[in-house]
Amino acid sequence: MAKTKWIIEPSKLIIYPKRNLRIVGLIFFVLIAAIIFFLSRSEKDYSTGLTLGYYGVLLLIPLLLIFIAETKVIFDGNSRVLYKKIGFLPTGSIPFDDIASVQAYEIMGSGYNYRLFKKSNRHGKGIIVSSGYSKATNPNLIQFQQEVLPKIDELVFANAPVIPKQTIYDFQFFKEEGGVYLLRDNKIGSLIIGLILIGVTVSILLNPDFLTNEGSFQKILLTYFPAIIGLALLFAATSNIRFDKSQRKIIRSTFAGRVLKEYPFDDLIRFQIIRKTTNLIYSGTEVRAEILLPAKNKTTTLILKSFIGTKKIERFLDEANTILGRI
């Protein structure tokens, strides 16, 4: 199947990230045309006008796929503007100065593509600039990385001014007390729901006749499952994360401080931005810390914060990096 297509000119780069839909559309067109031909020969009783109208609507589906396949992203070096078009229809533009990065983006754990991200929303959904790839050894992907990415760097970032990050003193996501920065996290909802679910299990245990008509497995499940979920929510509600500048450690406290795990600042490798979906619907973005465990010669991840939107993630990362001394 066709992959990413592109045209490189001295001051312009044109990328067709969805050309693979052209083949899909053509296959559907042939299949639907064959079905229409078969039905037109076998079903003589239908009105010709109604039949043609119905078949026309069916043929619009593959034709729409073929049209979308002509989506193109144009990097114009003369105007320093990115233009996006579907066929001949313009769908938007972005000045080069508003572009933050072009980087790989994981697709539901089954592969990845390359996307462009704006400075105003560095961790959002982004604009697709390549087809999807399942293997890093894909020849088209390797060629894309060798030819297209350097051209994007040349056109967009080569002459872009370098703006240093500013140290933050007014923290929104951390509460500072004596050099210890407590990560703010509203957990009252988890605490209340956890207590309610545990209360459900207690109520069932106090009323053994409540589930007399259920089988043994169903009775055990309905009795103890709410308590399991409730305990998990209580565990989350009694946990917190602190950045201790004096000790230069990230400290995770659970069970109201009874269990502590400490990670030195120097063992923090990077922050991971994980975009989550549930049944193909966006369900939030997590910021995680990837931390080296030298004694075990492996890494672990620590979930720091979840966001419904993505525009505040960059601010959160700037605050965390300020505490870490990286800004």
Side-chain angles (χ1 to χ4, degrees), residues 156-172:
V156 179
F157 303 113
N159 299 318
V162 178
I163 302 175
K165 292 281 188 179
Q166 299 296 316
T167 303
I168 294 175
Y169 300 98
D170 182 20
F171 292 90
Q172 299 176 6

Side-chain angles (χ1 to χ4, degrees), residues 32 53 56 96 151 206 208 220 229 246 283 302-303 307:
I32 292 177
F96 283 1
K151 188 63 179 181
L206 293 176
I220 292 173
I229 300 300
S246 60
S283 58
L302 181 63
I303 298 176
F307 292 83

